[in-house]
Amino acid sequence: MTDRRTAILEAAARLIARRGVRGLRVEELAAEAGVSTALVYYHFKDRAGILRRTLEFINDRAERYTGGLDDMDASPSDPRKTLEQSLLLEFQDVAAVRENSTAWGELRASAIFEPELREDLAKAGLSWVQEVAFLLACAQPMTPAPALTASAERLTALLEGLSMRWLSGVLHVSHARELMLEAVEVELGHLSRPKID
């Protein structure tokens, strides 16, 4: 990705986090990125293209900081710890994570009014659910795929809700982490119970 294109995407994520999707103006984006409006249109064609690429950028950035398990205490032989730490990395009290989570929430909420975003958001959400389901499968290998997917959907939905509460100051980050760990314990317990037909 070119430096200017990256600068535009970083600026778009910042502006969406600050003002929401409806407040995103191409002229303001160009000024924030330090480029011309023509260059924004050259790289992204239209406003929908900016939003679509910004969503991809936010997802890629999240994958980089949640994929950084090498820096954490988990070992490859402890799948539960890996799952927990992957989810807890969304609650880092650092600017990039706060901005990413806020922009993701704004993009998700805006899909109510901007249907062209729905498909891209659905794909991004599905990808995240699949990643969490995979981590759950590592911790509970004999579990059927539909049960893993349902657990992953519950965990990711809870994480999004806790994240919004944390970002808005309703919940302290340490309490959000505690609640997330309790939810992982509940889900793994649920998955480990034998199913009676």
Side-chain angles (χ1 to χ4, degrees):
M1 193 178 313
T2 67
D3 290 341
R4 286 186 176 172
R5 190 166 194 255
T6 301
I8 295 167
L9 290 170
E10 288 170 345
R14 265 193 315 277
L15 288 173
I16 290 170
R18 260 191 261 143
R19 294 199 176 91
V21 172
R22 288 182 154 196
L24 181 67
R25 303 285 177 262
V26 176
E27 297 77 18
E28 187 179 3
L29 173 58
E32 179 83 13
V35 300
S36 70
T37 304
L39 189 62
V40 173
Y41 283 116
Y42 170 78
H43 282 293
F44 303 101
K45 189 177 176 184
D46 56 17
R47 189 170 184 278
I50 295 167
L51 294 176
R52 199 170 9 269
R53 297 299 168 251
T54 302
L55 176 62
E56 289 173 11
F57 174 78
I58 289 168
N59 285 332
D60 290 345
R61 190 161 62 174
E63 284 179 24
R64 284 193 300 276
Y65 64 73
T66 59
L69 292 174
D70 299 338
D71 303 333
M72 305 298 281
D73 297 331
S75 69
S77 62
D78 191 349
R80 178 184 176 148
K81 263 300 194 224
T82 302
L83 168 66
E84 290 173 346
Q85 291 179 349
S86 175
L87 295 170
L88 292 179
L89 284 168
E90 292 284 352
F91 295 107
Q92 297 178 72
D93 201 5
V94 296
V97 175
R98 292 176 73 92
E99 180 182 283
N100 235 42
S101 294
T102 304
W104 169 260
E106 291 293 333
L107 284 160
R108 191 183 68 235
S110 72
I112 296 167
F113 306 103
E114 304 207 26
E116 66 274 2
L117 276 177
R118 290 180 190 161
E119 185 177 337
D120 293 319
L121 280 161
K123 286 178 188 173
L126 178 60
S127 175
W128 189 24
V129 166
Q130 289 171 338
E131 289 170 24
V132 173
F134 171 77
L135 293 172
L136 285 162
C138 292
Q140 293 291 333
M142 300 307 289
T143 307
L148 293 167
T149 300
S151 278
E153 287 174 333
R154 286 189 293 271
L155 288 172
T156 56
L158 176 64
L159 194 147
E160 286 180 337
L162 290 174
S163 181
M164 288 301 109
R165 288 181 179 203
W166 158 55
L167 291 166
S168 64
V170 173
L171 204 60
H172 191 272
V173 68
S174 62
H175 189 54
R177 288 177 178 160
E178 288 169 16
L179 293 171
M180 197 72 239
L181 288 173
E182 289 172 12
V184 169
E185 185 175 338
V186 168
E187 288 298 332
L188 289 175
H190 174 73
L191 293 174
S192 68
R193 284 190 213 108
K195 306 297 181 249
I196 301 171
D197 292 328

PDB file of all heavy atoms in Angstrom, residues 58-72 74 82-83 85-90 92 97 100 128 131 135:
ATOM      1  N   ILE A  58      -9.229  -1.145   8.959  1.00  0.00           N
ATOM      2  CA  ILE A  58      -9.488  -1.341  10.388  1.00  0.00           C
ATOM      3  C   ILE A  58      -9.378  -2.824  10.742  1.00  0.00           C
ATOM      4  O   ILE A  58      -8.780  -3.184  11.753  1.00  0.00           O
ATOM      5  CB  ILE A  58     -10.871  -0.768  10.760  1.00  0.00           C
ATOM      6  CG1 ILE A  58     -10.829   0.752  10.716  1.00  0.00           C
ATOM      7  CG2 ILE A  58     -11.339  -1.263  12.126  1.00  0.00           C
ATOM      8  CD1 ILE A  58     -12.194   1.401  10.779  1.00  0.00           C
ATOM      9  N   ASN A  59      -9.937  -3.684   9.908  1.00  0.00           N
ATOM     10  CA  ASN A  59      -9.847  -5.128  10.161  1.00  0.00           C
ATOM     11  C   ASN A  59      -8.403  -5.616  10.104  1.00  0.00           C
ATOM     12  O   ASN A  59      -7.979  -6.419  10.942  1.00  0.00           O
ATOM     13  CB  ASN A  59     -10.705  -5.901   9.166  1.00  0.00           C
ATOM     14  CG  ASN A  59     -12.167  -5.803   9.483  1.00  0.00           C
ATOM     15  OD1 ASN A  59     -12.564  -5.638  10.629  1.00  0.00           O
ATOM     16  ND2 ASN A  59     -12.987  -5.884   8.463  1.00  0.00           N
ATOM     17  N   ASP A  60      -7.648  -5.149   9.119  1.00  0.00           N
ATOM     18  CA  ASP A  60      -6.245  -5.546   9.000  1.00  0.00           C
ATOM     19  C   ASP A  60      -5.447  -5.085  10.225  1.00  0.00           C
ATOM     20  O   ASP A  60      -4.624  -5.825  10.759  1.00  0.00           O
ATOM     21  CB  ASP A  60      -5.606  -4.969   7.732  1.00  0.00           C
ATOM     22  CG  ASP A  60      -6.128  -5.608   6.465  1.00  0.00           C
ATOM     23  OD1 ASP A  60      -6.780  -6.686   6.543  1.00  0.00           O
ATOM     24  OD2 ASP A  60      -5.909  -5.032   5.378  1.00  0.00           O
ATOM     25  N   ARG A  61      -5.715  -3.864  10.662  1.00  0.00           N
ATOM     26  CA  ARG A  61      -5.004  -3.329  11.830  1.00  0.00           C
ATOM     27  C   ARG A  61      -5.360  -4.131  13.082  1.00  0.00           C
ATOM     28  O   ARG A  61      -4.497  -4.450  13.895  1.00  0.00           O
ATOM     29  CB  ARG A  61      -5.329  -1.837  12.003  1.00  0.00           C
ATOM     30  CG  ARG A  61      -4.479  -1.149  13.021  1.00  0.00           C
ATOM     31  CD  ARG A  61      -4.467   0.351  12.883  1.00  0.00           C
ATOM     32  NE  ARG A  61      -5.780   0.943  13.072  1.00  0.00           N
ATOM     33  CZ  ARG A  61      -5.985   2.248  13.112  1.00  0.00           C
ATOM     34  NH1 ARG A  61      -4.981   3.097  12.969  1.00  0.00           N
ATOM     35  NH2 ARG A  61      -7.199   2.728  13.274  1.00  0.00           N
ATOM     36  N   ALA A  62      -6.637  -4.498  13.222  1.00  0.00           N
ATOM     37  CA  ALA A  62      -7.057  -5.314  14.373  1.00  0.00           C
ATOM     38  C   ALA A  62      -6.387  -6.682  14.337  1.00  0.00           C
ATOM     39  O   ALA A  62      -5.968  -7.198  15.373  1.00  0.00           O
ATOM     40  CB  ALA A  62      -8.574  -5.460  14.398  1.00  0.00           C
ATOM     41  N   GLU A  63      -6.273  -7.271  13.162  1.00  0.00           N
ATOM     42  CA  GLU A  63      -5.604  -8.568  13.046  1.00  0.00           C
ATOM     43  C   GLU A  63      -4.148  -8.469  13.476  1.00  0.00           C
ATOM     44  O   GLU A  63      -3.605  -9.393  14.079  1.00  0.00           O
ATOM     45  CB  GLU A  63      -5.689  -9.100  11.614  1.00  0.00           C
ATOM     46  CG  GLU A  63      -7.053  -9.658  11.277  1.00  0.00           C
ATOM     47  CD  GLU A  63      -7.146 -10.166   9.848  1.00  0.00           C
ATOM     48  OE1 GLU A  63      -6.100 -10.508   9.250  1.00  0.00           O
ATOM     49  OE2 GLU A  63      -8.275 -10.216   9.334  1.00  0.00           O
ATOM     50  N   ARG A  64      -3.515  -7.322  13.196  1.00  0.00           N
ATOM     51  CA  ARG A  64      -2.116  -7.154  13.592  1.00  0.00           C
ATOM     52  C   ARG A  64      -1.981  -7.086  15.111  1.00  0.00           C
ATOM     53  O   ARG A  64      -1.092  -7.704  15.676  1.00  0.00           O
ATOM     54  CB  ARG A  64      -1.515  -5.913  12.939  1.00  0.00           C
ATOM     55  CG  ARG A  64      -1.183  -6.123  11.476  1.00  0.00           C
ATOM     56  CD  ARG A  64      -0.307  -5.009  10.927  1.00  0.00           C
ATOM     57  NE  ARG A  64      -0.889  -3.692  11.006  1.00  0.00           N
ATOM     58  CZ  ARG A  64      -1.730  -3.175  10.106  1.00  0.00           C
ATOM     59  NH1 ARG A  64      -2.104  -3.892   9.068  1.00  0.00           N
ATOM     60  NH2 ARG A  64      -2.201  -1.954  10.247  1.00  0.00           N
ATOM     61  N   TYR A  65      -2.870  -6.339  15.791  1.00  0.00           N
ATOM     62  CA  TYR A  65      -2.680  -6.261  17.238  1.00  0.00           C
ATOM     63  C   TYR A  65      -3.306  -7.428  17.988  1.00  0.00           C
ATOM     64  O   TYR A  65      -2.858  -7.753  19.077  1.00  0.00           O
ATOM     65  CB  TYR A  65      -3.087  -4.909  17.833  1.00  0.00           C
ATOM     66  CG  TYR A  65      -4.534  -4.489  17.754  1.00  0.00           C
ATOM     67  CD1 TYR A  65      -5.513  -5.081  18.556  1.00  0.00           C
ATOM     68  CD2 TYR A  65      -4.915  -3.444  16.924  1.00  0.00           C
ATOM     69  CE1 TYR A  65      -6.835  -4.662  18.494  1.00  0.00           C
ATOM     70  CE2 TYR A  65      -6.229  -3.019  16.869  1.00  0.00           C
ATOM     71  CZ  TYR A  65      -7.179  -3.624  17.662  1.00  0.00           C
ATOM     72  OH  TYR A  65      -8.487  -3.199  17.616  1.00  0.00           O
ATOM     73  N   THR A  66      -4.294  -8.114  17.422  1.00  0.00           N
ATOM     74  CA  THR A  66      -4.807  -9.305  18.106  1.00  0.00           C
ATOM     75  C   THR A  66      -4.018 -10.542  17.709  1.00  0.00           C
ATOM     76  O   THR A  66      -4.060 -11.545  18.404  1.00  0.00           O
ATOM     77  CB  THR A  66      -6.305  -9.556  17.819  1.00  0.00           C
ATOM     78  OG1 THR A  66      -6.499  -9.710  16.420  1.00  0.00           O
ATOM     79  CG2 THR A  66      -7.162  -8.454  18.381  1.00  0.00           C
ATOM     80  N   GLY A  67      -3.286 -10.455  16.639  1.00  0.00           N
ATOM     81  CA  GLY A  67      -2.441 -11.570  16.227  1.00  0.00           C
ATOM     82  C   GLY A  67      -1.095 -11.558  16.921  1.00  0.00           C
ATOM     83  O   GLY A  67      -0.294 -12.454  16.739  1.00  0.00           O
ATOM     84  N   GLY A  68      -0.844 -10.554  17.745  1.00  0.00           N
ATOM     85  CA  GLY A  68       0.440 -10.415  18.430  1.00  0.00           C
ATOM     86  C   GLY A  68       0.556 -11.262  19.670  1.00  0.00           C
ATOM     87  O   GLY A  68       1.050 -10.813  20.693  1.00  0.00           O
ATOM     88  N   LEU A  69       0.098 -12.496  19.607  1.00  0.00           N
ATOM     89  CA  LEU A  69       0.141 -13.371  20.774  1.00  0.00           C
ATOM     90  C   LEU A  69       1.564 -13.759  21.164  1.00  0.00           C
ATOM     91  O   LEU A  69       1.783 -14.222  22.274  1.00  0.00           O
ATOM     92  CB  LEU A  69      -0.694 -14.634  20.529  1.00  0.00           C
ATOM     93  CG  LEU A  69      -2.195 -14.384  20.433  1.00  0.00           C
ATOM     94  CD1 LEU A  69      -2.906 -15.664  20.035  1.00  0.00           C
ATOM     95  CD2 LEU A  69      -2.755 -13.852  21.731  1.00  0.00           C
ATOM     96  N   ASP A  70       2.530 -13.561  20.286  1.00  0.00           N
ATOM     97  CA  ASP A  70       3.915 -13.882  20.626  1.00  0.00           C
ATOM     98  C   ASP A  70       4.386 -13.056  21.817  1.00  0.00           C
ATOM     99  O   ASP A  70       5.216 -13.496  22.598  1.00  0.00           O
ATOM    100  CB  ASP A  70       4.848 -13.593  19.434  1.00  0.00           C
ATOM    101  CG  ASP A  70       4.485 -14.428  18.217  1.00  0.00           C
ATOM    102  OD1 ASP A  70       3.843 -15.487  18.395  1.00  0.00           O
ATOM    103  OD2 ASP A  70       4.846 -14.014  17.114  1.00  0.00           O
ATOM    104  N   ASP A  71       3.825 -11.860  21.936  1.00  0.00           N
ATOM    105  CA  ASP A  71       4.220 -10.974  23.019  1.00  0.00           C
ATOM    106  C   ASP A  71       3.500 -11.298  24.326  1.00  0.00           C
ATOM    107  O   ASP A  71       3.779 -10.705  25.345  1.00  0.00           O
ATOM    108  CB  ASP A  71       3.923  -9.516  22.647  1.00  0.00           C
ATOM    109  CG  ASP A  71       4.605  -9.111  21.359  1.00  0.00           C
ATOM    110  OD1 ASP A  71       5.649  -9.709  21.045  1.00  0.00           O
ATOM    111  OD2 ASP A  71       4.096  -8.213  20.683  1.00  0.00           O
ATOM    112  N   MET A  72       2.544 -12.215  24.280  1.00  0.00           N
ATOM    113  CA  MET A  72       1.730 -12.512  25.450  1.00  0.00           C
ATOM    114  C   MET A  72       2.269 -13.751  26.161  1.00  0.00           C
ATOM    115  O   MET A  72       3.229 -14.357  25.749  1.00  0.00           O
ATOM    116  CB  MET A  72       0.269 -12.726  25.022  1.00  0.00           C
ATOM    117  CG  MET A  72      -0.331 -11.564  24.236  1.00  0.00           C
ATOM    118  SD  MET A  72      -0.398 -10.043  25.157  1.00  0.00           S
ATOM    119  CE  MET A  72      -1.841 -10.362  26.152  1.00  0.00           C
ATOM    120  N   ALA A  74       0.696 -16.641  26.538  1.00  0.00           N
ATOM    121  CA  ALA A  74       0.142 -17.918  26.071  1.00  0.00           C
ATOM    122  C   ALA A  74       1.215 -18.735  25.361  1.00  0.00           C
ATOM    123  O   ALA A  74       2.082 -18.200  24.689  1.00  0.00           O
ATOM    124  CB  ALA A  74      -1.020 -17.685  25.120  1.00  0.00           C
ATOM    125  N   THR A  82      -4.645 -18.953  24.761  1.00  0.00           N
ATOM    126  CA  THR A  82      -4.551 -18.289  23.461  1.00  0.00           C
ATOM    127  C   THR A  82      -5.878 -17.634  23.102  1.00  0.00           C
ATOM    128  O   THR A  82      -5.915 -16.477  22.659  1.00  0.00           O
ATOM    129  CB  THR A  82      -4.129 -19.292  22.376  1.00  0.00           C
ATOM    130  OG1 THR A  82      -2.880 -19.882  22.750  1.00  0.00           O
ATOM    131  CG2 THR A  82      -3.990 -18.629  21.024  1.00  0.00           C
ATOM    132  N   LEU A  83      -6.982 -18.345  23.306  1.00  0.00           N
ATOM    133  CA  LEU A  83      -8.318 -17.795  23.052  1.00  0.00           C
ATOM    134  C   LEU A  83      -8.562 -16.574  23.917  1.00  0.00           C
ATOM    135  O   LEU A  83      -8.963 -15.513  23.421  1.00  0.00           O
ATOM    136  CB  LEU A  83      -9.383 -18.862  23.327  1.00  0.00           C
ATOM    137  CG  LEU A  83     -10.834 -18.380  23.392  1.00  0.00           C
ATOM    138  CD1 LEU A  83     -11.286 -17.870  22.036  1.00  0.00           C
ATOM    139  CD2 LEU A  83     -11.741 -19.504  23.883  1.00  0.00           C
ATOM    140  N   GLN A  85      -6.467 -14.571  25.473  1.00  0.00           N
ATOM    141  CA  GLN A  85      -5.611 -13.435  25.167  1.00  0.00           C
ATOM    142  C   GLN A  85      -5.951 -12.799  23.826  1.00  0.00           C
ATOM    143  O   GLN A  85      -5.849 -11.587  23.675  1.00  0.00           O
ATOM    144  CB  GLN A  85      -4.150 -13.844  25.272  1.00  0.00           C
ATOM    145  CG  GLN A  85      -3.794 -14.114  26.725  1.00  0.00           C
ATOM    146  CD  GLN A  85      -2.368 -14.556  26.933  1.00  0.00           C
ATOM    147  OE1 GLN A  85      -1.655 -14.859  25.984  1.00  0.00           O
ATOM    148  NE2 GLN A  85      -1.948 -14.604  28.180  1.00  0.00           N
ATOM    149  N   SER A  86      -6.379 -13.602  22.882  1.00  0.00           N
ATOM    150  CA  SER A  86      -6.809 -13.043  21.604  1.00  0.00           C
ATOM    151  C   SER A  86      -7.988 -12.088  21.795  1.00  0.00           C
ATOM    152  O   SER A  86      -8.034 -11.004  21.215  1.00  0.00           O
ATOM    153  CB  SER A  86      -7.190 -14.166  20.647  1.00  0.00           C
ATOM    154  OG  SER A  86      -7.702 -13.642  19.453  1.00  0.00           O
ATOM    155  N   LEU A  87      -8.928 -12.478  22.630  1.00  0.00           N
ATOM    156  CA  LEU A  87     -10.091 -11.629  22.899  1.00  0.00           C
ATOM    157  C   LEU A  87      -9.710 -10.422  23.748  1.00  0.00           C
ATOM    158  O   LEU A  87     -10.179  -9.303  23.505  1.00  0.00           O
ATOM    159  CB  LEU A  87     -11.193 -12.446  23.570  1.00  0.00           C
ATOM    160  CG  LEU A  87     -11.791 -13.562  22.709  1.00  0.00           C
ATOM    161  CD1 LEU A  87     -12.685 -14.469  23.547  1.00  0.00           C
ATOM    162  CD2 LEU A  87     -12.540 -13.009  21.512  1.00  0.00           C
ATOM    163  N   LEU A  88      -8.853 -10.618  24.744  1.00  0.00           N
ATOM    164  CA  LEU A  88      -8.474  -9.522  25.633  1.00  0.00           C
ATOM    165  C   LEU A  88      -7.646  -8.446  24.931  1.00  0.00           C
ATOM    166  O   LEU A  88      -7.628  -7.297  25.379  1.00  0.00           O
ATOM    167  CB  LEU A  88      -7.709 -10.056  26.848  1.00  0.00           C
ATOM    168  CG  LEU A  88      -8.519 -10.900  27.821  1.00  0.00           C
ATOM    169  CD1 LEU A  88      -7.640 -11.380  28.966  1.00  0.00           C
ATOM    170  CD2 LEU A  88      -9.735 -10.156  28.338  1.00  0.00           C
ATOM    171  N   LEU A  89      -6.979  -8.803  23.844  1.00  0.00           N
ATOM    172  CA  LEU A  89      -6.199  -7.804  23.107  1.00  0.00           C
ATOM    173  C   LEU A  89      -7.088  -6.698  22.532  1.00  0.00           C
ATOM    174  O   LEU A  89      -6.592  -5.629  22.186  1.00  0.00           O
ATOM    175  CB  LEU A  89      -5.379  -8.480  22.005  1.00  0.00           C
ATOM    176  CG  LEU A  89      -4.150  -9.221  22.510  1.00  0.00           C
ATOM    177  CD1 LEU A  89      -3.563 -10.099  21.409  1.00  0.00           C
ATOM    178  CD2 LEU A  89      -3.108  -8.258  23.036  1.00  0.00           C
ATOM    179  N   GLU A  90      -8.397  -6.939  22.448  1.00  0.00           N
ATOM    180  CA  GLU A  90      -9.329  -5.899  22.001  1.00  0.00           C
ATOM    181  C   GLU A  90      -9.566  -4.847  23.083  1.00  0.00           C
ATOM    182  O   GLU A  90     -10.188  -3.827  22.827  1.00  0.00           O
ATOM    183  CB  GLU A  90     -10.663  -6.525  21.598  1.00  0.00           C
ATOM    184  CG  GLU A  90     -10.595  -7.378  20.348  1.00  0.00           C
ATOM    185  CD  GLU A  90     -10.518  -6.579  19.063  1.00  0.00           C
ATOM    186  OE1 GLU A  90     -10.667  -5.332  19.090  1.00  0.00           O
ATOM    187  OE2 GLU A  90     -10.295  -7.196  18.018  1.00  0.00           O
ATOM    188  N   GLN A  92      -7.110  -3.254  24.896  1.00  0.00           N
ATOM    189  CA  GLN A  92      -5.877  -2.543  25.205  1.00  0.00           C
ATOM    190  C   GLN A  92      -6.179  -1.052  25.271  1.00  0.00           C
ATOM    191  O   GLN A  92      -6.780  -0.501  24.358  1.00  0.00           O
ATOM    192  CB  GLN A  92      -4.832  -2.795  24.123  1.00  0.00           C
ATOM    193  CG  GLN A  92      -4.415  -4.241  23.997  1.00  0.00           C
ATOM    194  CD  GLN A  92      -3.436  -4.404  22.875  1.00  0.00           C
ATOM    195  OE1 GLN A  92      -2.284  -3.992  22.994  1.00  0.00           O
ATOM    196  NE2 GLN A  92      -3.881  -4.989  21.765  1.00  0.00           N
ATOM    197  N   VAL A  97      -5.974   1.005  19.358  1.00  0.00           N
ATOM    198  CA  VAL A  97      -7.043   0.050  19.644  1.00  0.00           C
ATOM    199  C   VAL A  97      -8.344   0.790  19.931  1.00  0.00           C
ATOM    200  O   VAL A  97      -9.409   0.414  19.434  1.00  0.00           O
ATOM    201  CB  VAL A  97      -6.664  -0.880  20.820  1.00  0.00           C
ATOM    202  CG1 VAL A  97      -7.815  -1.797  21.199  1.00  0.00           C
ATOM    203  CG2 VAL A  97      -5.431  -1.705  20.456  1.00  0.00           C
ATOM    204  N   ASN A 100      -9.580   2.106  16.613  1.00  0.00           N
ATOM    205  CA  ASN A 100     -10.078   1.007  15.787  1.00  0.00           C
ATOM    206  C   ASN A 100     -11.449   0.545  16.255  1.00  0.00           C
ATOM    207  O   ASN A 100     -12.365   0.372  15.458  1.00  0.00           O
ATOM    208  CB  ASN A 100      -9.096  -0.168  15.840  1.00  0.00           C
ATOM    209  CG  ASN A 100      -8.638  -0.599  14.486  1.00  0.00           C
ATOM    210  OD1 ASN A 100      -8.358   0.221  13.632  1.00  0.00           O
ATOM    211  ND2 ASN A 100      -8.555  -1.892  14.286  1.00  0.00           N
ATOM    212  N   TRP A 128     -14.332 -12.810  11.648  1.00  0.00           N
ATOM    213  CA  TRP A 128     -13.975 -12.736  13.067  1.00  0.00           C
ATOM    214  C   TRP A 128     -14.587 -13.919  13.834  1.00  0.00           C
ATOM    215  O   TRP A 128     -13.920 -14.565  14.634  1.00  0.00           O
ATOM    216  CB  TRP A 128     -14.433 -11.400  13.635  1.00  0.00           C
ATOM    217  CG  TRP A 128     -13.956 -11.094  15.019  1.00  0.00           C
ATOM    218  CD1 TRP A 128     -12.849 -11.597  15.652  1.00  0.00           C
ATOM    219  CD2 TRP A 128     -14.576 -10.218  15.937  1.00  0.00           C
ATOM    220  NE1 TRP A 128     -12.753 -11.072  16.907  1.00  0.00           N
ATOM    221  CE2 TRP A 128     -13.790 -10.215  17.116  1.00  0.00           C
ATOM    222  CE3 TRP A 128     -15.709  -9.411  15.880  1.00  0.00           C
ATOM    223  CZ2 TRP A 128     -14.112  -9.454  18.226  1.00  0.00           C
ATOM    224  CZ3 TRP A 128     -16.023  -8.641  16.991  1.00  0.00           C
ATOM    225  CH2 TRP A 128     -15.241  -8.663  18.143  1.00  0.00           C
ATOM    226  N   GLU A 131     -12.587 -16.993  13.140  1.00  0.00           N
ATOM    227  CA  GLU A 131     -11.313 -17.011  13.861  1.00  0.00           C
ATOM    228  C   GLU A 131     -11.516 -17.454  15.310  1.00  0.00           C
ATOM    229  O   GLU A 131     -10.753 -18.271  15.834  1.00  0.00           O
ATOM    230  CB  GLU A 131     -10.672 -15.621  13.836  1.00  0.00           C
ATOM    231  CG  GLU A 131     -10.136 -15.222  12.483  1.00  0.00           C
ATOM    232  CD  GLU A 131      -9.725 -13.754  12.438  1.00  0.00           C
ATOM    233  OE1 GLU A 131      -9.429 -13.167  13.502  1.00  0.00           O
ATOM    234  OE2 GLU A 131      -9.711 -13.190  11.328  1.00  0.00           O
ATOM    235  N   LEU A 135     -10.292 -20.920  17.416  1.00  0.00           N
ATOM    236  CA  LEU A 135      -9.625 -20.934  18.718  1.00  0.00           C
ATOM    237  C   LEU A 135     -10.407 -21.778  19.726  1.00  0.00           C
ATOM    238  O   LEU A 135      -9.815 -22.500  20.541  1.00  0.00           O
ATOM    239  CB  LEU A 135      -9.434 -19.510  19.240  1.00  0.00           C
ATOM    240  CG  LEU A 135      -8.467 -18.639  18.435  1.00  0.00           C
ATOM    241  CD1 LEU A 135      -8.497 -17.199  18.928  1.00  0.00           C
ATOM    242  CD2 LEU A 135      -7.057 -19.199  18.471  1.00  0.00           C
TER     243      LEU A 135
END
